[in-house]
Amino acid sequence: MASGIPELEEPAQTKATLTGLWQSRQFHEAAALAAKAMALWPDEAEFRAERAKCLLAAGALLEAEAAAREALLAEASDAHKEEAWIVLTDALIRQERATDAREALREACFAMPGSVALQARRGHQAVQA
């Protein structure tokens, strides 16, 4: 790739590279790297959530929404699911789709009732409404 993304050899090395790209605010490059990693290691759910997060940070709201929905469909840890829900709802809010965001947060809270972060976001959105 012309962007300077290295060839991927193992998930741990790729995660470290993603962290570096995130820290240097190269969100588009990080999203591209995460997509490449998803293709190489489809069972590594972290790459799906990371791609969604990077797309959101890059301002690619529609792509972030789609990536978050895709991440929610994959088998993943609660932490990765929670991150995907947060990206999804933030993407909806930034698209000025508050009703859709509140509905997604309602669904998220039913799916993950122990998530304080999701409950707090749901409460905040209810107050905003």
Side-chain angles (χ1 to χ4, degrees), residues 32-49:
L33 178 65
K36 188 174 177 181
M38 286 168 46
L40 289 172
W41 304 292
D43 293 336
E44 293 281 337
E46 181 177 348
F47 294 124
R48 293 180 190 290

Side-chain angles (χ1 to χ4, degrees), residues 2 4 7 9 23 29 46 49 53 98 100 105 114 120:
E7 288 303 313
E9 295 180 16
Q23 290 172 344
E29 292 84 353
E46 181 177 348
K53 183 176 81 170
D100 292 338
L105 282 166

Side-chain angles (χ1 to χ4, degrees), residues 17-101:
T17 303
L18 275 171
T19 299
L21 289 170
W22 178 266
Q23 290 172 344
S24 60
R25 304 180 60 79
Q26 296 178 6
F27 304 124
H28 287 290
E29 292 84 353
L33 178 65
K36 188 174 177 181
M38 286 168 46
L40 289 172
W41 304 292
D43 293 336
E44 293 281 337
E46 181 177 348
F47 294 124
R48 293 180 190 290
E50 197 65 30
R51 179 172 174 261
K53 183 176 81 170
C54 291
L55 288 167
L56 181 67
L61 302 179
L62 291 174
E63 294 88 346
E65 177 187 350
R69 291 183 189 280
E70 181 182 340
L72 288 168
L73 295 174
E75 289 294 320
S77 69
D78 284 349
H80 293 125
K81 291 279 189 187
E82 182 180 67
E83 186 173 35
W85 280 115
I86 289 170
V87 169
L88 173 61
T89 57
D90 283 358
L92 292 169
I93 290 166
R94 291 182 192 179
Q95 292 175 64
E96 299 182 4
R97 294 170 51 198
T99 302
D100 292 338

Side-chain angles (χ1 to χ4, degrees), residues 82 85-86 89 105 108-109 112 115-123:
E82 182 180 67
W85 280 115
I86 289 170
T89 57
L105 282 166
C109 289
M112 301 185 73
S115 171
V116 175
L118 292 173
Q119 296 288 347
R121 284 173 183 271
R122 185 177 184 201

